[in-house]
Amino acid sequence: MPYNNILSESQNGLTTITINRPSKLNALNSATIKELHQAFKDADEDKNTKVIIITGSGKKAFVAGADISEFADYSVAEGEKLASDGQALLFDFVANLSTPVIAAINGFALGGGLELAMAAHFRVASDNAKMGLPEVSLGVIPGYGGTQRLPQLIGKGRAMEMIMTAGMIDAQKALDCGLVNHITTSEELIGLAEKIASKIMRNSSVAIAAAITAINSGYEDGENGYDTEVSQFGNCFGTADFKEGTTAFLEKRRAAFPGE
Ligand code: COA
């Protein structure tokens, strides 16, 4: 599918999706959200893609938020639909993908931008990155999962303060509070994400998918993460990857996982 707002490139087991509206600081309009949904879906269904990196084009921004010009005159019902459609198409969709998603935050990650980065399985950031959920400064609240994922990642008190003040934190503070896992220079950011991706790719993609399901389950209403872990753990014993992984260990060689 040809894209107008994003770029998607796959090689050596890695798909890199780049939001490409630099003149609008990569703000997420509805067309971009639909394209992102399609690109993530295609990458997840592609057996050759083992890891997905999501980043923004240009030096200034990962994503500066949902596109304010698009929703400024929405009604209550339209506002609710904006949030629920966005969560279903992109934010929950990404969080629950079987393929690991790394957000490479290369500048501003604000509002929906930080929410997209938080929907990814983990984050790395450039040292010039600035992160925040400024929605209350616009008279609205985060609607793409930010009120849930920020407290999960950095704790309730810190999330309350960030959301109430509409303030931004820098990369070092984000690292200190666990919002991002690593920081590096802008120039080295994608290289760092790729290095981590290559470590992930050595392992069983089937087991990684099971781990994502088990980890996410603990954050789902009405689910017991420990029970999910037990069933996912059990399922692994029926996979070709498990056979290969254990056999390779016993034969003192590196596993060549079939991904099944
Ligand atoms: N939605 C729509 N357009 C946006 C946008 C957003 N969230 N964020 C930036 N843009 C646009 C600007 O309107 C501007 O477009 P223009 O050149 O056609 O006027 C362009 O991107 C560049 O942004 P600008 O504000 O000129 O850059 P800056 O360096 O002065 O400021 C920010 C950068 C990130 C501080 C500022 O753009 C900003 O506050 N953006 C909104 C952040 C926000 O509230 N996000 C949450 C939305 S729910």
Side-chain angles (χ1 to χ4, degrees):
M1 168 177 167
Y3 295 122
N4 296 316
N5 302 288
I6 66 169
L7 307 167
S8 180
E9 199 187 348
S10 301
Q11 60 179 346
N12 303 326
L14 184 69
T15 292
T16 302
I17 300 172
T18 306
I19 300 154
N20 190 30
R21 301 181 74 214
S23 68
K24 296 290 173 192
L25 303 187
N26 302 320
L28 295 176
N29 58 6
S30 58
T32 306
I33 288 179
K34 283 186 192 136
E35 289 184 10
L36 283 169
H37 170 80
Q38 193 59 48
F40 275 111
K41 185 167 182 288
D42 288 349
D44 192 52
E45 288 171 358
D46 172 12
K47 269 216 89 178
N48 294 320
T49 293
K50 303 293 183 201
V51 179
I52 302 168
I53 293 175
I54 173 79
T55 193
S57 73
K59 286 204 161 83
K60 205 166 159 184
F62 173 71
V63 171
D67 192 320
I68 299 166
S69 65
E70 228 181 36
F71 63 73
D73 60 358
Y74 273 13
S75 65
V76 169
E78 286 171 318
E80 197 171 323
K81 187 167 162 24
L82 179 74
S84 66
D85 287 356
Q87 289 192 16
L89 268 182
L90 185 58
F91 299 83
D92 284 356
F93 187 75
V94 166
N96 291 303
L97 283 185
S98 315
T99 310
V101 181
I102 306 173
I105 303 174
N106 57 309
F108 288 113
L110 302 175
L114 182 55
E115 289 172 302
L116 178 58
M118 292 193 293
H121 296 122
F122 61 90
R123 291 142 290 287
V124 297
S126 58
D127 49 18
N128 67 337
K130 293 250 179 329
M131 285 155 256
L133 292 178
E135 284 86 347
V136 298
S137 71
L138 299 167
V140 68
I141 66 167
Y144 289 146
T147 64
Q148 305 305 300
R149 292 195 179 99
L150 189 63
Q152 284 165 14
L153 286 164
I154 69 171
K156 187 174 168 186
R158 288 194 187 103
M160 285 279 191
E161 183 180 338
M162 257 179 87
I163 290 172
M164 287 177 191
T165 60
M168 289 186 212
I169 60 170
D170 64 18
Q172 184 59 51
K173 186 119 191 252
L175 180 70
D176 293 344
C177 66
L179 186 52
V180 304
N181 291 7
H182 307 275
I183 55 178
T184 184
T185 61
S186 297
E187 293 71 31
E188 285 169 358
L189 181 66
I190 295 298
L192 171 65
E194 288 175 351
K195 199 166 150 200
I196 300 169
S198 71
K199 287 188 189 167
I200 293 173
M201 280 181 219
R202 287 184 213 141
N203 302 314
S204 159
S205 56
V206 181
I208 287 170
I212 293 171
T213 302
I215 293 166
N216 281 347
S217 174
Y219 295 92
E220 289 294 329
D221 245 2
E223 284 188 26
N224 181 321
Y226 293 96
D227 290 346
T228 308
E229 184 181 280
V230 167
S231 65
Q232 291 292 328
F233 180 81
N235 287 346
C236 290
F237 285 69
T239 67
D241 274 12
F242 175 74
K243 260 258 126 354
E244 167 61 11
T246 48
T247 305
F249 177 80
L250 295 172
E251 291 175 355
K252 299 189 186 306
R253 62 174 172 82
R254 196 164 165 167
F257 289 110
E260 288 164 7

